[in-house]
Amino acid sequence: MRGRKTSLVVVLTPEERHQLEHWVRSTCTPVGRVRRATMILKVADGNPISHAAGAAGLTEKHGRKWVQRFLEKRIEGLSDLPGRGRKPAFPPCSNAPYSQNRL
């Protein structure tokens, strides 16, 4: 295949492949996780990172990042890191003046 050769080689266990394929097929899996799973499956099948990233809807830079995280932490590395997204405007408070029972 054409494309840059990479030192990042992904070899999946049968359990990992089953989990990633399950995420890709599921309709209730978050889109980001499906993209990451697709990326890892394509690279494991021998596709170059640039082609796998295009198929997964990622840039080559981000595809390489997810492959590296997968190689470091395996399946757990494909999860979003904590602290992503907008922080709540009103933090939960146990001594709120109104309780939920007053409705």
Side-chain angles (χ1 to χ4, degrees):
M1 268 192 150
R2 295 182 62 186
R4 198 165 90 172
K5 300 296 181 200
T6 181
S7 62
L8 302 174
V9 177
V10 176
V11 178
L12 298 174
T13 65
E15 295 82 19
E16 289 172 337
R17 180 172 289 278
H18 176 72
Q19 180 66 48
L20 294 173
E21 288 173 347
H22 175 71
W23 286 348
V24 170
R25 286 190 312 266
S26 177
T27 59
C28 60
T29 304
V31 173
R33 185 171 283 180
V34 171
R35 286 183 179 164
R36 295 172 213 147
T38 302
M39 175 74 198
I40 300 303
L41 287 169
K42 296 279 186 188
V43 172
D45 290 339
N47 292 311
I49 290 180
S50 59
H51 294 156
L58 298 169
T59 63
E60 185 176 350
K61 175 184 172 185
H62 287 106
R64 188 172 304 281
K65 176 186 86 165
W66 286 112
V67 170
Q68 289 171 342
R69 278 185 55 181
F70 179 80
L71 291 174
E72 290 173 10
K73 301 179 183 176
R74 305 309 287 184
I75 292 284
E76 292 79 27
L78 299 180
S79 300
D80 288 327
L81 294 176
R84 308 304 309 164
R86 183 176 178 173
K87 304 296 181 237
F90 300 102
C93 182
S94 61
N95 57 1
Y98 298 103
S99 67
Q100 293 185 10
N101 297 344
R102 294 186 68 187
L103 297 175

